[in-house]
Amino acid sequence: MYQEYYDLKSEPFPLSSHGDNLYLHESFKRSMSYLFYAFHRGEGMVLISGRPGSGKSTLIEEIVAETSDVDMPVTVVDCAGLVGSDLLELYLEQLGVVAAPEVSNARAVRDTLANLRSTKRPVLILDDAHLLSDEDLKTVYMLCNLKQKGVHLVQIVLAGHAVLREKLLSPGYEQFHQRLVATCNIDALEMSETREYILHKLRSSGWTNNPNIAESVYGAVYRSSLGVPRWIDLICSRMLLNAMADERKFVSLEDICEVIRDLINEDLLPNQVRLSSHTKVA
């Protein structure tokens, strides 16, 4: 809709960013470098944490794209799909393997990884890993310890909310903790990063200052999104939609405050923003 109205070549604020539309802020770049460091080592586990909407799934998509041309088959398992399922069974399914009736899932996974490891470096990424049960974490630990001739069979990445980090660093998980070779957190954006994030996405979509955006708008977006990319995208997408509906070529502070009030009334912004009656967006 507003894409055509403002003569944009693409949607500037999609749910999933990639390519030129991806904004590489500091903690995102640091997380990527930690992952590639771990992949180079080819052993142990990496823990990537961050609040919902911070960009963990975007990071995973970028890693998969970056490794598509190398001998590093990356398998992504969404732990949200584990309800009533076995982690090893789900992993085998993602690997395209059906275990024979007389072979356990654990043996089938080991044999499959051993075959892969003879020529490649398999990587298992567990998205939404904060949803893993204690039993599932034992399975992850087992996978991390799989070796053949002293070589680890799979590199594991755990991506999840901060509660996962707290759990794995707690006293009851010392052995698990010792298998971590890197941990990092994808932080919320700072005020300056929020401004650059918005401008980067707009410019990547062919924006030529139409609509023109008042400088004060960026601060309002930052405060009402808490610097979380997913909420920044939602606010800015609605900002462009409202501007188009009113046939505006300029977005003022008053305009963005109206957008934010609407989103608060629709219960679409963070609890901290919605539930704080004294929160000021201006």
Side-chain angles (χ1 to χ4, degrees):
M1 297 175 68
Y2 58 74
Q3 183 178 323
E4 291 79 13
Y5 184 79
Y6 289 117
D7 198 26
L8 303 174
K9 65 182 181 182
S10 60
E11 164 59 59
F13 301 105
L15 290 178
S16 180
S17 300
H18 56 84
D20 292 340
N21 194 255
L22 181 62
Y23 176 68
L24 299 174
H25 61 92
E26 195 57 41
S27 65
F28 192 96
K29 288 189 290 185
R30 185 170 63 251
S31 298
M32 284 192 70
S33 66
Y34 279 18
L35 282 174
F36 283 115
Y37 157 74
F39 292 166
H40 177 73
R41 289 191 55 161
E43 62 181 358
M45 290 182 281
V46 183
L47 172 61
I48 305 293
S49 58
R51 65 185 302 168
S54 60
K56 297 183 297 298
S57 295
T58 298
L59 174 64
I60 290 171
E61 291 172 7
E62 191 66 13
I63 288 296
V64 171
E66 289 276 343
T67 57
S68 61
D69 296 330
V70 299
D71 290 330
M72 191 184 296
V74 178
T75 304
V76 180
V77 171
D78 184 358
C79 298
L82 270 176
V83 179
S85 301
D86 175 79
L87 177 57
L88 293 177
E89 183 179 347
L90 200 56
Y91 189 19
L92 285 170
E93 182 181 312
Q94 292 295 94
L95 289 169
V97 175
V98 178
E102 68 277 9
V103 177
S104 68
N105 287 337
R107 180 57 185 272
V109 167
R110 180 184 176 84
D111 291 346
T112 301
L113 291 175
N115 287 333
L116 281 172
R117 194 65 177 88
S118 62
T119 57
K120 304 176 187 291
R121 288 179 291 155
V123 175
L124 168 61
I125 299 179
L126 296 166
D127 197 9
D128 282 331
H130 56 279
L131 298 175
L132 290 169
S133 66
D134 286 343
E135 196 62 36
D136 290 328
L137 285 173
K138 289 179 183 177
T139 300
V140 174
Y141 184 78
M142 178 273 291
L143 288 171
C144 181
N145 286 333
L146 289 178
K147 293 182 182 179
Q148 182 168 270
K149 296 180 180 179
V151 177
H152 286 267
L153 296 184
V154 63
Q155 172 76 56
I156 297 174
V157 177
L158 298 159
H161 297 174
V163 65
L164 174 65
R165 185 188 185 95
E166 294 167 7
K167 185 174 188 176
L168 298 186
L169 300 183
S170 66
Y173 289 84
E174 289 91 347
Q175 287 184 311
F176 209 107
H177 187 185
Q178 290 170 9
R179 295 297 185 274
L180 295 172
V181 296
T183 69
C184 51
N185 188 73
I186 302 181
D187 302 322
L189 304 183
E190 299 292 344
M191 169 60 207
S192 59
E193 290 177 321
T194 298
R195 180 181 183 277
E196 288 305 311
Y197 176 90
I198 295 168
L199 290 173
H200 173 80
K201 288 208 157 192
L202 285 168
R203 289 166 180 160
S204 298
S205 301
W207 177 69
T208 55
N209 220 31
N210 179 28
N212 193 1
I213 300 172
E215 190 64 31
S216 54
V217 165
Y218 303 109
V221 173
Y222 169 68
R223 287 186 289 275
S224 55
S225 68
L226 307 181
V228 176
R230 187 177 296 162
W231 279 314
I232 296 172
D233 290 342
L234 173 63
I235 294 167
C236 290
S237 181
R238 187 69 71 88
M239 173 185 76
L240 293 178
L241 180 64
N242 282 22
M244 179 202 70
D246 294 339
E247 299 183 346
R248 281 186 266 111
K249 302 297 183 182
F250 176 74
V251 177
S252 67
L253 178 60
E254 183 181 353
D255 296 327
I256 194 64
C257 286
E258 180 183 346
V259 168
I260 293 166
R261 280 192 295 271
D262 287 344
L263 291 172
I264 289 174
N265 289 335
E266 294 172 39
D267 294 327
L268 293 178
L269 291 185
N271 285 342
Q272 186 175 331
V273 174
R274 292 189 293 112
L275 302 180
S276 229
S277 59
H278 60 274
T279 295
K280 295 182 180 180
V281 298

